[in-house]
Amino acid sequence: MKKIFLSILVASINYGFSQDANNDYMTTSMVQLKQTAPEFSFTTRDGKTVNLSNYKGKVILINFFATWCGPCMQEMPLIQSDIWNKLKDNPDFVLLSLGRDHSQEEINKFIDQKKFTFPIYADKGKVIYSLYAKQYIPRNYLIDKKGEVIYATTGFTKEEFEDLKITIDKLLKK
């Protein structure tokens, strides 16, 4: 009984630290809607450095997650099946999933275990994350072809994920 209680307590704490209602978005986000997305660079799995500005003129989905985050692990298979598998060949779409405070070694192991095929990169030290938010994951930022953040979510719900997909589709049709 004690083990069950501890398991529930740990799960509740992880859930609380990883997911938050969107009404706290404004107080936990460094980026506001209609703002130009902050520039950053990241290293690909094969060691190349890429800048966000390399993707100007494309619709960009930035996803922040952590391997220990329960809501993130609910969302990531849907990113694979409902977004990446559908849009990976669209030249106007870019997906950047960033492991908040994970090393490239941790990310590589995670990719191998989960068999995800979408681009996942390390954000050791929360360097990129800190440009976008103060706390809470998962987080998604959708950037339009002009480089402006036009949609953002904190936490995960199926309804919000559906809305994200609809918004991506609308942007790609413009």
Side-chain angles (χ1 to χ4, degrees):
M1 188 64 150
K2 197 175 193 179
K3 285 184 180 180
I4 292 172
F5 173 76
L6 286 174
S7 295
I8 292 170
L9 179 63
V10 168
S12 297
I13 290 170
N14 273 344
Y15 184 79
F17 279 110
S18 59
Q19 182 169 345
D20 188 55
N22 257 350
N23 59 5
D24 279 344
Y25 167 78
M26 298 301 277
T27 60
T28 63
S29 182
M30 306 298 288
V31 177
Q32 303 306 314
L33 297 180
K34 299 294 183 188
Q35 176 184 337
T36 299
E39 177 65 21
F40 61 85
S41 62
F42 60 94
T43 304
T44 64
R45 213 170 168 181
D46 57 2
K48 293 180 183 170
T49 299
V50 179
N51 298 314
L52 180 65
S53 58
N54 292 108
Y55 300 116
K56 187 135 185 173
K58 299 180 183 291
V59 173
I60 305 165
L61 174 59
I62 300 173
N63 164 259
F64 291 103
F65 79 98
T67 60
W68 51 262
C69 165
C72 301
M73 295 304 103
Q74 289 179 312
E75 180 179 64
M76 292 192 82
L78 295 174
I79 290 173
Q80 174 75 52
S81 63
D82 295 8
I83 295 176
W84 183 247
N85 289 348
K86 179 181 172 190
L87 298 174
K88 65 183 172 188
D89 295 324
N90 187 323
D92 292 328
F93 178 75
V94 174
L95 171 60
L96 304 174
S97 189
L98 298 158
R100 187 183 82 163
D101 212 17
H102 287 297
S103 68
Q104 191 59 54
E105 183 179 316
E106 291 171 314
I107 293 300
N108 291 344
K109 183 179 176 185
F110 175 73
I111 291 169
D112 292 343
Q113 286 175 343
K114 297 292 187 176
K115 308 290 186 225
F116 291 130
T117 61
F118 60 92
I120 303 174
Y121 308 104
D123 182 20
K124 187 70 176 165
K126 303 180 192 175
V127 175
I128 300 168
Y129 181 81
S130 67
L131 299 172
Y132 284 79
K134 296 176 189 175
Q135 59 188 17
Y136 303 122
I137 50 176
R139 275 187 184 267
N140 291 297
Y141 293 90
L142 189 56
I143 302 167
D144 69 10
K145 293 178 181 181
K146 296 180 291 183
E148 291 182 358
V149 176
I150 56 100
Y151 189 88
T153 63
T154 304
F156 171 74
T157 66
K158 288 183 179 183
E159 296 79 17
E160 206 166 60
F161 191 79
E162 289 300 315
D163 193 39
L164 174 63
K165 290 182 343 186
I166 290 167
T167 306
I168 291 170
D169 287 341
K170 285 179 184 175
L171 280 178
L172 288 171
K173 288 178 182 171
K174 283 186 176 183

